[in-house]
């Protein structure tokens, strides 16, 4: 089944404790992206990647890092999480421009 | 300025009637538009898209209308079903400085549709 898999689904952590949210897609998509969803703000892009080793900042990249060492994986790293990073995170991938993104099921992160 | 706006946070419709979800945008250079549907505890799923060179795209019960002069698009669902109850997002790929579209999608804030049985 074609899908985007992100883990974990739920995570509660403390301020400053580094964490990684993993994302993997099995569709051989070139484009991958991370979004966060917050009430009243919709979906905002954090980082995106056009291919292996090619990444770029989205609208809200501060406090996040990404890497794209393999085509299928696009982890999101929070080196020192803060409470304002409490949000619902989505990983997405697409084959190319003009195609709709396929989204993962989301990771609800709470930073206390 | 590149924004996509959904000014109605929620909409309630009776089963069998038409649902109309609206979206406005600020940049006439947007190349195409997409609608996503999101159920609770799930990721958004792609629903339908429309190219800027068209004014209508239809897929079953779902039709997108694009009014370029008004910078407005709308999603029509006919007939509405209880299973259509979800949050609907309008989106467009951002435009590079020289005018080309990117793969970065700009989303609206979403409209929660409730279809009453």
């Amino acid at each position: 089944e074609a899908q985007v898999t992100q883990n974990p689904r739920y995570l509660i952590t403390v301020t400053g404790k580094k964490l990684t949210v993993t994302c993997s897609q099995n569709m051989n998509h070139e484009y991958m992206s991370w979004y966060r969803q917050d009430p009243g703000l919709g979906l905002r892009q954090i980082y995106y990647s056009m291919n292996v080793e090619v990444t770029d900042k989205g609208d809200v990249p501060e406090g996040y890092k990404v890497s794209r060492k393999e085509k299928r994986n696009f982890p999101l790293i929070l080196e020192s999480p803060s409470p304002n990073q409490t949000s619902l995170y989505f990983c997405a991938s697409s084959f190319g421009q003009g195609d709709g993104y396929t989204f993962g099921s989301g990771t609800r992160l709470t930073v206390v | 300025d590149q924004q996509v706006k959904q000014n109605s946070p929620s909409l309630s419709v009776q089963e069998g009637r038409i649902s109309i979800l609206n979206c406005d945008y600020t940049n006439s250079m947007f190349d195409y538009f997409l609608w996503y549907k999101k159920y609770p505890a799930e990721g958004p799923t792609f629903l339908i898209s429309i190219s800027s060179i068209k004014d209508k795209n239809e897929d079953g019960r779902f039709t997108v209308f694009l009014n370029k002069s008004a910078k407005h698009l709308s999603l029509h669902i006919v007939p509405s079903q209880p299973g259509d109850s979800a949050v609907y997002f309008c989106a467009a790929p951002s435009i590079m400085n020289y005018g080309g579209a990117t793969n970065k999608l700009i989303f609206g804030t979403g409209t929660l549709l409730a279809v009453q049985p």
Side-chain angles (χ1 to χ4, degrees):
Chain A
E1 179 188 352
Q3 59 185 359
V4 176
T5 303
Q6 50 181 114
N7 284 295
R9 289 293 308 273
Y10 302 92
L11 179 60
I12 301 175
T13 190
V14 296
T15 299
K17 184 176 181 181
K18 180 180 178 180
L19 66 92
T20 299
V21 184
T22 63
C23 174
S24 180
Q25 50 95 2
N26 62 0
M27 296 166 281
N28 202 35
H29 283 169
E30 291 186 347
Y31 295 89
M32 297 187 74
S33 184
W34 277 102
Y35 285 84
R36 60 179 287 176
Q37 183 187 0
D38 301 290
L41 297 176
L43 291 154
R44 295 179 294 165
Q45 191 181 59
I46 303 170
Y47 268 95
Y48 68 98
S49 170
M50 297 175 69
N51 213 324
V52 175
E53 302 291 4
V54 181
T55 63
D56 205 352
K57 297 177 181 178
D59 295 319
V60 287
E62 294 78 21
Y64 304 94
K65 285 175 56 178
V66 293
S67 68
R68 187 91 182 272
K69 293 181 168 41
E70 308 164 277
K71 199 171 188 178
R72 62 182 291 123
N73 295 322
F74 191 44
L76 179 70
I77 303 157
L78 285 73
E79 294 270 3
S80 182
S82 62
N84 65 11
Q85 293 179 297
T86 292
S87 186
L88 180 57
Y89 291 87
F90 291 102
C91 180
S93 71
S94 73
F95 188 71
Q97 292 184 12
D99 295 329
Y101 270 122
T102 299
F103 280 84
S105 298
T107 296
R108 183 165 291 283
L109 172 66
T110 302
V111 183
V112 297
Chain B
D1 182 31
Q2 301 187 43
Q3 294 186 60
V4 175
K5 301 177 182 178
Q6 294 175 261
N7 294 317
S8 298
S10 62
L11 174 68
S12 182
V13 172
Q14 286 295 119
E15 181 177 5
R17 307 293 287 267
I18 183 172
S19 295
I20 301 177
L21 297 106
N22 294 304
C23 180
D24 296 301
Y25 59 95
T26 59
N27 196 315
S28 59
M29 296 293 290
F30 282 138
D31 198 28
Y32 60 95
F33 302 88
L34 309 96
W35 284 93
Y36 283 83
K37 175 179 178 180
K38 184 184 178 304
Y39 293 118
E42 294 184 13
T45 55
F46 170 69
L47 188 58
I48 191 170
S49 64
I50 186 167
S51 166
S52 61
I53 63 172
K54 296 189 173 183
D55 53 20
K56 177 183 175 181
N57 187 28
E58 190 172 353
D59 183 2
R61 296 186 297 113
F62 303 91
T63 303
V64 185
F65 295 93
L66 177 61
N67 182 334
K68 288 183 284 292
S69 62
K71 294 180 185 171
H72 177 84
L73 63 153
S74 59
L75 173 67
H76 293 214
I77 306 173
V78 184
S80 301
Q81 300 173 356
D84 296 328
S85 297
V87 177
Y88 290 79
F89 290 100
C90 174
S94 67
I95 307 295
M96 289 186 270
N97 289 338
Y98 57 83
T102 73
N103 198 255
K104 169 187 170 182
L105 290 181
I106 300 170
F107 283 86
T109 52
T111 297
L112 175 61
L113 173 66
V115 180
Q116 310 296 335

